[in-house]
Amino acid sequence: MFCVFTVNDIRMENEEGYDLINRKQGSLSYLTWYQKLIEFIKQQWKKISLYLLSWFSVLWLTVEVLNFFYPKISLNSHIVLLGILAVSFLVAVVHSFLEYKRHIPLGLENESIQVHKIVRVKKPFWEYALAYELLRERIEFIDQALDDVLNNRVHIKISRVMDIEEYMQWLVTRPENLIKMVEVSKTLLISDLVQAIHPDEGREVNYTDVIRVADLIKDLYTNLYEFEIEGRTIQVPDGFEFVHQIQSGWATVIRDAFHQMLEVLLTVSRRDKGDLSPINGTITFEEPPKIQEYHDELERLCCDFRSNR
């Protein structure tokens, strides 16, 4: 199966676009019902045997006690023996199956029940379901907090006061920091995450690798939130209100790309198992709004500042 992910990135400083394409050919695995049965037997046959022996012993002992105190009942028959075996086997299987459902795959001990279920059941395209769930759980809370900030639902206390020169130096760093976060986003989403859920031929998905990438993506999303918060903690000097307003909300450039990736993962995870067509996912990083106006206004303010010194 082919997996093609394309990122269209427009560089902010010169508005030139380029594509980062990751094409990877590999196979996706899933468990059929009989494979699940074999997996269950492999993991639980010792426990089934132990439970079977235990329940058989208890039930047979119960029958013997009843025979001793109530000999007229006459429980010494093949039907009773077969009944005890059947009940013991059924209880042992049910007990072992419940334990099997509660089994936590190695490496996923700190993950949610839903993640455990995805890995245990392994439906078609489960690798994408796993990546989606790990990312969703990690960034959902941060994303909601970021959405509240972007839509002015929360008050951010002003805690930094700069002179004009310091403030202009801070403004200069904003586009560059955003560019760096875009570059890291592309590496994590397009290269590392795809590699983690599509290991090289002959290798199985390593849960530790997927979790590591998911944690790095969470850290980046936290940095994005802090990037947006930082601009709102600064006391804007007089005359700089317009340029400050332009850069407010630039976090949406990366946030939208993350949402696009989650949508790609979710869509693939819900595919019909017979759909083996190439997976084409496009993640687009839009140009920050009014970026040229930002540079022009910043240049004008810098010129005015130099002339008034």
Side-chain angles (χ1 to χ4, degrees):
M1 182 177 294
F2 292 91
C3 301
V4 182
F5 292 80
T6 305
V7 175
N8 297 317
D9 171 33
I10 301 177
R11 284 188 177 274
M12 290 173 285
E13 67 273 15
N14 55 17
E15 301 184 10
E16 293 181 359
Y18 67 98
D19 292 336
L20 174 64
I21 303 175
N22 184 0
R23 290 189 177 94
K24 185 174 181 61
Q25 181 177 1
S27 59
L28 294 176
S29 62
Y30 70 95
L31 296 179
T32 59
W33 69 268
Y34 60 87
Q35 288 175 324
K36 293 175 184 177
L37 178 60
I38 293 173
E39 189 73 17
F40 166 69
I41 295 174
K42 284 182 178 179
Q43 288 191 18
Q44 299 293 323
W45 72 268
K46 290 183 179 179
K47 290 185 178 180
I48 292 175
S49 302
L50 180 61
Y51 289 138
L52 175 60
L53 180 61
S54 300
W55 277 97
F56 180 82
S57 300
V58 170
L59 292 176
W60 185 255
L61 180 61
T62 302
V63 169
E64 289 297 315
V65 171
L66 290 174
N67 277 330
F68 179 79
F69 287 103
Y70 306 98
K72 293 182 179 181
I73 297 179
S74 186
L75 295 177
N76 293 326
S77 67
H78 294 298
I79 295 177
V80 174
L81 177 61
L82 290 176
I84 291 175
L85 282 173
V87 171
S88 300
F89 180 75
L90 180 61
V91 173
V93 170
V94 171
H95 198 161
S96 298
F97 180 72
L98 292 176
E99 287 194 9
Y100 175 74
K101 288 190 66 175
R102 292 192 295 266
H103 172 70
I104 299 176
L106 186 63
L108 300 175
E109 293 83 0
N110 298 323
E111 304 304 326
S112 68
I113 295 176
Q114 181 61 25
V115 169
H116 298 163
K117 181 179 178 180
I118 290 171
V119 172
R120 184 171 57 250
V121 176
K122 288 186 178 178
K123 293 182 178 179
F125 305 103
W126 67 272
E127 297 92 341
Y128 287 85
L130 173 64
Y132 171 80
E133 192 63 27
L134 288 174
L135 293 186
R136 185 194 65 80
E137 291 177 357
R138 280 162 170 74
I139 71 173
E140 186 175 40
F141 179 79
I142 306 171
D143 187 66
Q144 183 58 62
L146 179 57
D147 184 70
D148 290 338
V149 171
L150 292 171
N151 289 283
N152 296 315
R153 298 192 188 102
V154 294
H155 169 68
I156 307 299
K157 182 179 179 181
I158 293 176
S159 58
R160 299 178 63 187
V161 179
M162 306 177 180
D163 59 35
I164 293 179
E165 186 171 2
E166 290 175 332
Y167 178 74
M168 286 192 300
Q169 290 175 352
W170 177 82
L171 285 176
V172 171
T173 66
R174 295 296 276 177
E176 185 62 29
N177 282 328
L178 189 65
I179 290 173
K180 289 181 178 179
M181 283 193 288
V182 168
E183 295 297 327
V184 175
S185 298
K186 290 188 301 183
T187 299
L188 291 174
L189 296 179
I190 309 305
S191 298
D192 294 349
L193 184 59
V194 174
Q195 177 62 36
I197 62 178
H198 280 285
D200 296 332
E201 193 70 27
R203 294 181 57 195
E204 296 183 355
V205 173
N206 187 319
Y207 305 138
T208 303
D209 292 342
V210 183
I211 290 173
R212 179 175 178 275
V213 175
D215 287 339
L216 288 172
I217 290 175
K218 176 187 176 181
D219 292 341
L220 177 62
Y221 214 76
T222 301
N223 291 337
L224 181 66
Y225 172 77
E226 294 171 348
F227 173 87
E228 190 61 35
I229 288 291
E230 181 185 12
R232 297 167 189 260
T233 62
I234 295 175
Q235 176 67 55
V236 183
D238 292 338
F240 288 81
E241 293 82 4
F242 178 62
V243 72
H244 192 89
Q245 181 183 9
I246 292 176
Q247 60 82 40
S248 181
W250 277 357
T252 56
V253 172
I254 299 177
R255 180 173 182 249
D256 290 345
F258 273 74
H259 286 185
Q260 293 172 46
M261 188 60 177
L262 285 173
E263 183 62 28
V264 169
L265 294 172
L266 182 61
T267 300
V268 176
S269 71
R270 292 177 174 177
R271 271 190 174 192
D272 181 79
K273 67 178 182 180
D275 185 0
L276 300 180
S277 59
I279 299 171
N280 296 294
T282 302
I283 315 299
T284 303
F285 290 88
E286 299 290 349
E287 182 180 73
K290 300 181 180 179
I291 184 64
Q292 190 56 51
E293 289 184 52
Y294 179 84
H295 287 303
D296 294 343
E297 181 67 10
L298 184 58
E299 181 64 27
R300 183 187 68 80
L301 291 169
C302 288
C303 290
D304 291 345
F305 176 74
R306 295 191 195 97
S307 61
N308 292 330
R309 291 186 65 177

